[in-house]
Amino acid sequence: MIVTTTNTIEGKEIEEYLGIVAGEVILGANVVRDFLASITDIIGGRSETYESKLAEGREMAIKEMVNKARSLGANAVIGVDLDFETLRDGMMMCIATGTAVRLKS
């Protein structure tokens, strides 16, 4: 399945637009991770614990979105947008949205 942030795919023609698809994931961060990240924030540098959590959320949301597109008969998702939100202490939401399409073979 082709997944792209662009609205077109070079060399491919869109046969049918199947609708908007989304994948939503809510992840909790644990107390130890929060503590280690706060130390990193104090001494400077990158917080690998939160970066890995963001990557995990992004991958899960994209996978869910692709599964929904596949269930509609799509072979691509275009116009993909990723959003991250903090819901409350230790809770993070990642949302992937796009348009499911069927490309001509």
Side-chain angles (χ1 to χ4, degrees), residues 35-48 51:
F35 176 71
L36 293 174
S38 66
I39 290 174
T40 301
D41 290 341
I42 292 169
I43 61 174
R46 295 170 63 167
S47 174
E48 290 181 24
E51 286 176 0

Side-chain angles (χ1 to χ4, degrees), residues 27-102:
L27 300 168
N30 66 32
V31 175
V32 174
R33 186 180 299 118
D34 289 344
F35 176 71
L36 293 174
S38 66
I39 290 174
T40 301
D41 290 341
I42 292 169
I43 61 174
R46 295 170 63 167
S47 174
E48 290 181 24
T49 53
Y50 278 116
E51 286 176 0
S52 66
K53 203 64 169 172
L54 285 170
E56 179 185 352
R58 181 183 63 243
E59 290 169 14
M60 291 172 67
I62 290 172
K63 184 177 181 178
E64 183 178 314
M65 178 189 66
V66 165
N67 288 338
K68 289 179 180 177
R70 192 171 279 124
S71 72
L72 295 174
N75 58 5
V77 182
I78 61 171
V80 173
D81 182 53
L82 295 169
D83 290 310
F84 297 89
E85 296 290 333
T86 302
L87 300 177
R88 59 176 189 214
D89 291 340
M91 299 297 286
M92 177 188 69
M93 178 173 59
C94 178
I95 303 170
T97 57
T99 302
V101 297
R102 186 175 305 118

